Amino acid sequence: MSISWVTVPTPLPSGPLRLAVTEQGVAAVSYHGDAIGGVPGRVGTPECADESRAGLVKARLAEYFDGQRTELGLPIDWRFTTGPHRTVLQTLTAQAGYGQTLTYGELGARSGVFEDFTDGGWTAARTVGKMMGANPLCLLVPCHRVVASDGIGGFGGGPRGLEIKRWLLTLEGVLPPTLDWNGPG
């Protein structure tokens, strides 16, 4: 199955998103345009020539960023996830809708992956944090909705990553807009 890329302009602090698409759906997303989930970045990977597939991705994301869509409803190709990681990501997708958050520990407990741990959830929460950092389907599998028990938590990409997480949580109404908010409404 071949992979091609769709580039979508966004109002995010990171700029455009790059999405790897296949015949099955979106296989990977990058806020930073770099290689993700084992998928090569720009070099040697063609832009998506299927206008219906690329158009759907661009339209759904534009509606989301304009505040008009709460469910992206894009098909997902799970090929870059396996085992417990996939289970946790699928649990997140099913249980944290638009405008909702879960803590790392809650997600670990709900996934059922960490039932053998007896340390009060500490190891599960840390492991879930690492899994979120390795999420190849960010935004579609909304790792920005996973927060620490005592605050916003982390997000891949360092300080720019936290700006993205705050922006997305503000868009979804979890956080109040700041004076420099550049989102819809």
Side-chain angles (χ1 to χ4, degrees), residues 17 44 46 56 94 110 115 126 133 147 173:
L17 288 175
L56 177 66
R110 291 182 188 188
E115 292 176 351
R126 288 185 59 96
V147 298

Side-chain angles (χ1 to χ4, degrees), residues 43-83:
V43 178
T45 307
E47 285 292 316
C48 183
D50 181 335
E51 282 302 317
S52 64
R53 188 177 308 144
L56 177 66
V57 169
K58 289 176 181 179
R60 296 280 174 91
L61 288 169
E63 291 169 354
Y64 171 79
F65 288 118
D66 284 342
Q68 300 171 6
R69 175 174 284 280
T70 59
E71 292 291 329
L72 291 171
L74 292 168
I76 295 176
D77 179 341
W78 293 95
R79 73 176 61 203
F80 296 113
T81 65
T82 58

Side-chain angles (χ1 to χ4, degrees), residues 94-112:
Q95 298 202 8
Y98 188 94
Q100 300 173 330
T101 60
L102 292 171
T103 67
Y104 297 101
E106 288 171 335
L107 179 55
R110 291 182 188 188
S111 73

Side-chain angles (χ1 to χ4, degrees), residues 17-20 25-31 36 61 64-65 70-98 100-102 104 107 111 128-147 154-156 164-165 168-169 172:
L17 288 175
R18 297 269 296 156
L19 295 93
V26 177
V29 180
S30 174
Y31 289 113
I36 47 175
L61 288 169
Y64 171 79
F65 288 118
T70 59
E71 292 291 329
L72 291 171
L74 292 168
I76 295 176
D77 179 341
W78 293 95
R79 73 176 61 203
F80 296 113
T81 65
T82 58
H85 191 206
R86 181 181 292 182
T87 299
V88 169
L89 294 177
Q90 289 177 329
T91 301
L92 170 60
T93 302
Q95 298 202 8
Y98 188 94
Q100 300 173 330
T101 60
L102 292 171
Y104 297 101
L107 179 55
S111 73
V128 166
K130 290 178 182 180
M131 289 176 167
M132 295 302 100
N135 175 10
L137 291 156
C138 52
L139 192 59
L140 274 71
V141 176
C143 53
H144 63 277
R145 297 179 187 154
V146 184
V147 298
F155 204 68
I164 295 167
K165 185 172 188 172
L168 293 169
L169 292 174
E172 296 185 4

Side-chain angles (χ1 to χ4, degrees), residues 99 101 144 147 151-152 162-178 181:
T101 60
H144 63 277
V147 298
I152 193 168
L162 281 176
E163 289 178 50
I164 295 167
K165 185 172 188 172
R166 287 181 197 284
W167 198 99
L168 293 169
L169 292 174
T170 301
L171 173 69
E172 296 185 4
V174 174
L175 296 174
T178 58
W181 167 246

